[in-house]
Amino acid sequence: MHPSSLTQRAVVLLCVASLGGCSVWPIEKKYDRAELAKGAAMPAAVSVDDAKKIAQGWSDQLQEATRDRVVQGIVAKEVLFYGTLLLTAGAVQLSRGASDGWRRVRNVGAGAAAGSELFSSHYQTADQAMAFQKASAQMTCMIESLQPIPDRAEYLALFDDDEKARVNAGLTADPKDLDALYNAVPRQTLHFMEQTVLPNLQAELKSVRLGTPSKEELTTLVDKYKTAKDSGTAGANNVGTPDNAAVNNVHGLLSRNGIVAQPSAEVIKLRRKEVVAALAAYSSAIALCRPT
């Protein structure tokens, strides 16, 4: 390959590495509720529907940030490779009495090799990727607990007042109220993102090493989770088979959403059980979604 072509490729790679859309700086992805809810104006009280959108939107951004940092690391290594190649080729040609053109190639190669080392060491893209990866893992953990919780329309179709009363009578841990458990989900979701995931990410990007939970703290969290899960199981055991009116409500909701499948009363009962169990355990489940 002609030395000028090698030079041009090295320069291009250096530009990519150094500019990279100006995304190499250790700044966390912008956290904006309204933007993450796809631009919708934030209501006075965030609903479960909005909380799900915000959670998924920010999770996607964190995953994208992780991928960006990995790509930047690859680009830096490629600059180092081509810089070293140019440095070596230039040195060999000079030893054979080559022209000043090869001397310039050697100097570009030395600059590229040194530049990529400075790039990697100064911006610590590997550390940044790890910070975003940890935050993304926390969000994934939370979303797994959030996934079974229905949007408001499905919740209202699944549970009438009589059904809620049966479930409440079976719950063994406070709050022994299905509506209270459901209405607390948005607040708990936003609190986890804004008071746990975001501060942890900011600390990691500033190279602040956070302490891990003690054995006693983890034991307490696990005990709370077990208590909440047992309460949800007890409440779910009180779920009844839906009557025709409840079945029609669910079928009507599915039809409005363009879903043709018409689940049986037994399937709807199983869905009720799943929702009760998920709501009862949600708060304690996301408390376990923390770095260890």
Side-chain angles (χ1 to χ4, degrees):
M1 183 180 291
H2 193 276
S4 62
S5 299
L6 285 171
T7 304
Q8 290 171 359
R9 180 159 191 178
V11 171
V12 169
L13 285 168
L14 276 172
C15 290
V16 171
S18 60
L19 298 177
C22 299
S23 61
V24 298
W25 298 95
I27 301 173
E28 69 272 10
K29 296 294 286 185
K30 183 178 180 182
Y31 180 91
D32 185 294
R33 287 187 185 179
E35 183 179 338
L36 292 171
K38 298 183 179 177
M42 292 300 295
V46 177
S47 68
V48 170
D49 307 37
D50 289 322
K52 281 188 166 186
K53 291 177 183 177
I54 293 168
Q56 189 59 61
W58 200 38
S59 180
D60 290 345
Q61 287 195 7
L62 289 172
Q63 290 177 15
E64 181 182 351
T66 303
R67 290 192 296 270
D68 285 347
R69 266 58 188 180
V70 172
V71 168
Q72 288 162 12
I74 293 172
V75 170
K77 289 177 182 176
E78 191 167 334
V79 172
L80 178 59
F81 170 77
Y82 281 104
T84 304
L85 181 64
L86 284 168
L87 175 62
T88 304
V92 169
Q93 293 300 322
L94 283 171
S95 69
R96 296 175 179 173
S99 65
D100 284 345
W102 276 108
R103 189 181 303 278
R104 288 193 295 272
V105 168
R106 185 195 62 176
N107 292 338
V108 169
S116 65
E117 287 285 8
L118 290 172
F119 174 89
S120 297
S121 61
H122 182 68
Y123 295 114
Q124 296 295 326
T125 54
D127 289 347
Q128 288 186 43
M130 181 62 70
F132 284 111
Q133 194 170 30
K134 288 180 180 179
S136 180
Q138 286 183 282
M139 290 299 299
T140 298
C141 178
M142 186 198 73
I143 287 172
E144 286 178 357
S145 299
L146 185 62
Q147 198 66 40
I149 296 175
D151 60 26
R152 185 162 186 79
E154 184 187 1
Y155 178 74
L156 294 175
L158 284 171
F159 301 98
D160 57 22
D161 289 341
D162 291 339
E163 188 61 28
K164 290 175 188 175
R166 278 194 292 271
V167 170
N168 294 344
L171 296 173
T172 58
D174 291 330
K176 299 175 184 178
D177 183 281
L178 196 62
D179 280 341
L181 290 169
Y182 184 78
N183 292 330
V185 168
R187 173 180 55 79
Q188 292 163 347
T189 302
L190 295 178
H191 185 273
F192 178 76
M193 288 190 287
E194 296 171 358
Q195 302 301 320
T196 299
V197 182
L198 186 57
N200 285 345
L201 174 60
Q202 290 171 330
E204 290 275 352
L205 290 175
K206 293 175 183 176
S207 298
V208 177
R209 294 296 173 237
L210 304 174
T212 56
S214 66
K215 182 179 178 181
E216 290 74 18
E217 289 175 316
L218 285 174
T219 300
T220 299
L221 290 173
V222 171
D223 287 344
K224 285 183 178 179
Y225 173 73
K226 288 179 178 177
T227 299
K229 190 175 181 182
D230 289 343
S231 178
T233 300
N237 287 337
N238 273 16
V239 164
T241 302
D243 57 23
N244 289 335
V247 171
N248 290 335
N249 284 339
V250 174
H251 288 178
L253 173 65
L254 294 175
S255 297
R256 288 194 297 275
N257 290 336
I259 300 173
V260 178
Q262 302 293 308
S264 66
E266 267 314 304
V267 171
I268 296 173
K269 180 180 179 179
L270 290 174
R271 174 61 174 147
R272 283 178 169 178
K273 286 177 174 284
E274 179 187 40
V275 170
V276 171
L279 287 174
Y282 183 67
S283 177
S284 56
I286 63 174
L288 289 169
C289 296
R290 56 186 293 181
T292 55

